[in-house]
Amino acid sequence: MSLHAPTIEQRLRQSLGDALRLAEPLRHHTTFRIGGPAEYFIAPESPEDMARAMQAAHALGLPVHLVGGGSNLLVSDAGLAGLTVVNRCAAIEFDGRAAHVGGGADYLGFIEVCRDRELAGLAYAAGIPGSVGGAVYGNAGCYGQDIGSRLIEGVIATLDGASVTTQPRSWFEFGYRDSRLKREPHALLSCVIELEPGQRSAIQGEIDEKLEIRRVKHPQWRFEPTAGSYFKNLPPGFQVPGLPHSPGTHRIPAGALLDACECRGLRVGDAMVFPKHANILVNAGHATARDVLALAEIMKARVRERFGVELEEEVMFLGERPDLSAVLGQTVA
Ligand SMILES: Cc1cc2nc3c(=O)[nH]c(=O)nc-3n(C[C@H](O)[C@H](O)[C@H](O)COP(=O)(O)OP(=O)(O)OC[C@H]3O[C@@H](n4cnc5c(N)ncnc54)[C@H](O)[C@@H]3O)c2cc1C
């Protein structure tokens, strides 16, 4: 019999077994390829395992960090304390036009499974990386459409894993790149998405078209690591001081302001503004989170000085913020 009390690792392992990993590099789980180690890490494939992992962390007083495809995240170089849970619950079932999909399902993979069933409605989103759960969290979308408008209901768990409930669309309070999940953290275990009948070939045609547009305009995130648009677009009808009034419902792209401030190609360390899109930052080698944060600060300052507008980050930062003063002193333009 051991005279010592079991360590946190031993107690976690009692609940989670060999699936538990220590010091897992989070750069392997983000499309930016940036992020230090997760103190404790697990990638559950069923909602039951996911709830068990969150319960075990809660019982030990450990914070829980949820990650899907890691495509909208900037993770601290120092990594994350507590338990990082990468959602791999990816089951997909159909009930007529309704798809029951796990929060960890790959979004493009899900769109393709719907295509095979001749179910349309999501092909516009082909090329948005990440998971269905991450898409619901941030109400991901493009071309004026978003995933929230097709969600019928979602199964959510509190982050202590204690309570699992099914909530209708209204609960999620979807807005532009926004949902209630941002304000009241829950894990989306699965959801029901409403689709409509379509023709396989037409759906495939739209998927191909959207992927091609992204291939030309955006970085290929598998080879040019990025987290997509870094800043949110401005609200519809927002009057940018110094720019002509643009009435209507379209959002003013943050990229337009960043272009006016000549941000393309700006660089701090290996963090760089994508040459073809001023609102996209790429990891051009071995960028650190600190490089990216410093570059973003420089971009925000340019827009603030020129237009008096404060850009808001769309990419979410996880972990402890580093001190940027040293990096901000040596910008490379
Ligand atoms: C090249 C590129 C292009 C992009 N284009 C678009 C675009 O056109 N439109 C758009 O909206 N976004 C776009 N994005 C951003 C990103 O792909 C989306 O926001 C995506 O939906 C994030 O999903 P994810 O699974 O990767 O989430 P992650 O990055 O893993 O996580 C983002 C947030 O969601 C939370 N989360 C993840 N899974 C769950 C879950 N199951 N339950 C609760 N919370 C969860 C996490 O805790 C985190 O706070 C793009 C990104 C890239 C790299």
Side-chain angles (χ1 to χ4, degrees):
M1 194 178 83
S2 165
L3 294 174
H4 300 290
T7 61
I8 289 186
E9 180 198 336
Q10 287 166 335
R11 289 173 66 188
L12 269 180
R13 220 171 263 295
Q14 273 167 11
S15 314
L16 308 178
D18 289 342
L20 181 72
R21 287 186 237 167
L22 304 187
E24 173 73 9
L26 287 171
R27 66 176 187 281
H28 296 164
H29 301 278
T30 62
T31 58
F32 238 147
R33 299 282 173 261
I34 293 174
E39 187 179 16
Y40 303 108
F41 176 97
I42 194 157
E45 293 180 7
S46 73
E48 295 73 26
D49 285 351
M50 188 137 165
R52 188 175 311 121
M54 296 192 294
Q55 284 164 9
H58 179 72
L60 293 165
L62 297 174
V64 167
H65 308 281
L66 275 180
V67 174
S71 65
N72 207 26
L73 292 179
L74 177 62
V75 176
S76 161
D77 304 312
L80 298 178
L83 181 68
T84 298
V85 181
V86 171
N87 184 347
R88 295 260 167 76
C89 311
I92 304 174
E93 284 173 18
F94 290 89
D95 178 6
R97 296 178 191 179
H100 297 247
V101 55
D106 175 69
Y107 196 11
L108 179 58
F110 171 52
I111 293 167
E112 290 172 340
V113 172
C114 295
R115 170 206 61 200
D116 293 343
R117 290 253 170 177
E118 303 221 289
L119 290 172
L122 290 178
Y124 74 89
I128 298 182
S131 66
V132 168
V136 171
Y137 175 92
N139 194 18
C142 47
Y143 305 112
Q145 303 190 62
D146 53 46
I147 193 167
S149 55
R150 290 194 169 269
L151 185 135
I152 298 172
E153 61 184 31
V155 179
I156 55 168
T158 49
L159 290 197
D160 58 6
S163 154
V164 177
T165 55
T166 300
Q167 300 291 353
R169 178 191 299 158
S170 58
W171 182 92
F172 289 85
E173 297 170 357
F174 289 114
Y176 173 69
R177 301 293 170 271
D178 190 48
S179 81
R180 185 167 169 181
L181 294 175
K182 287 194 174 180
R183 294 177 289 282
E184 292 178 33
H186 286 79
L188 184 96
L189 300 181
S190 64
C191 60
V192 181
I193 301 284
E194 188 173 27
L195 298 143
E196 61 219 35
Q199 268 193 333
R200 193 184 191 288
S201 57
I203 302 168
Q204 184 60 54
E206 190 178 353
I207 292 174
D208 290 343
E209 179 207 337
K210 299 306 185 222
L211 290 178
E212 179 59 15
I213 292 171
R214 284 175 185 268
R215 194 187 63 75
V216 172
K217 282 192 181 167
H218 292 176
Q220 301 301 294
W221 58 270
R222 287 195 171 81
F223 315 105
E224 297 172 291
T226 177
S229 296
Y230 198 86
F231 297 104
K232 290 182 184 173
N233 292 332
L234 304 180
F238 186 90
Q239 179 57 54
V240 180
L243 286 188
H245 186 54
S246 65
T249 54
H250 289 294
R251 290 176 175 272
I252 298 170
L257 274 59
L258 292 161
D259 261 336
C261 298
E262 296 177 1
C263 286
R264 287 192 205 199
L266 266 182
R267 186 169 181 144
V268 173
D270 272 347
M272 200 176 92
V273 182
F274 188 53
K276 289 195 254 176
H277 197 312
N279 192 21
I280 294 181
L281 305 190
V282 291
N283 173 359
H286 298 96
T288 60
R290 184 207 280 246
D291 292 338
V292 173
L293 290 171
L295 179 54
E297 283 307 319
I298 290 162
M299 297 162 77
K300 283 172 83 170
R302 286 194 177 191
V303 170
R304 192 184 305 123
E305 277 159 31
R306 168 101 186 252
F307 297 109
V309 169
E310 193 63 30
L311 290 180
E312 198 186 323
E313 285 80 359
E314 183 171 326
V315 172
M316 274 159 288
F317 180 77
L318 287 187
E320 221 170 280
R321 281 195 173 263
D323 177 9
L324 298 178
S325 47
V327 195
L328 285 173
Q330 34 169 296
T331 315
V332 184

